Amino acid sequence: MESLRQAVAVIAHDQPRGRIATIHYAANSWSATPAWTIPGGKVEVGERLDEAAARELREETGLIVEPEHLRLVHTAQVRVGWDGKGPFLLSVFLATAWRGELTNTEPAKHLAVTWTPADALPLPMFPTSHAALTLYLSGGRGFSTHGWDGKPFDPHALVRA
């Protein structure tokens, strides 16, 4: 039996200014249209989750945070990933302090990396990012699922596409 794949994401929340770091992901083979998300990606074999989250935040946005300063705020169990390779578990961390300036460090992959008002999330958005953000911002449950409700499921669907 294969291990459950692990992914991480970071909600970089500039609380004094009421804004969140968001990424406008370009269309590619699994998304016919550009979509918004939060920084994140796959966990490498042997990598700690908090270290992976800090790495992904730095690689995608230029923001630097120490892994021990991240706080786990959400977990999402996803039935089928966008890549079609089966289920994965997404651990979403919160960063409220960092070094560096928000930058689009991967312009070939991302259309933009920007600060978004926390009360006006951009759409369309990846469902897991949308669930994590809305539940975090509302003080809601720290766990969600995607594709486990028994209804016909399209892993490529976006929130309000």
Side-chain angles (χ1 to χ4, degrees), residues 35-90:
W36 291 91
T37 188
I38 54 177
K42 297 174 187 169
V43 176
E44 303 296 332
V45 174
E47 190 174 29
R48 279 186 8 199
L49 295 176
D50 58 345
E51 291 173 348
R55 175 184 54 77
E56 287 289 347
L57 181 65
R58 183 187 72 253
E59 287 176 359
E60 294 193 337
T61 69
L63 299 178
I64 300 166
V65 64
E66 299 304 319
E68 61 270 16
H69 294 147
L70 294 170
R71 182 169 59 97
L72 183 66
V73 294
H74 193 82
T75 303
Q77 185 179 12
V78 182
R79 180 114 190 198
V80 177
W82 290 63
D83 59 8
K85 294 182 180 176
F88 68 91
L89 195 64
L90 174 67

Side-chain angles (χ1 to χ4, degrees), residues 112-135:
V113 175
T114 187
W115 290 110
T116 298
D119 60 356
L121 298 177
L123 298 173
M125 184 176 277
F126 293 0
T128 51
S129 296
H130 191 267
L133 281 168
T134 56
L135 289 168

Side-chain angles (χ1 to χ4, degrees), residues 97-146:
W98 47 81
R99 296 184 316 274
E101 296 296 321
L102 190 68
T103 307
N104 185 357
T105 57
E106 298 180 313
K109 187 175 167 184
H110 304 136
L111 299 174
V113 175
T114 187
W115 290 110
T116 298
D119 60 356
L121 298 177
L123 298 173
M125 184 176 277
F126 293 0
T128 51
S129 296
H130 191 267
L133 281 168
T134 56
L135 289 168
Y136 159 72
L137 290 168
S138 70
R141 190 171 184 221
F143 176 75
S144 65
T145 60
H146 187 66

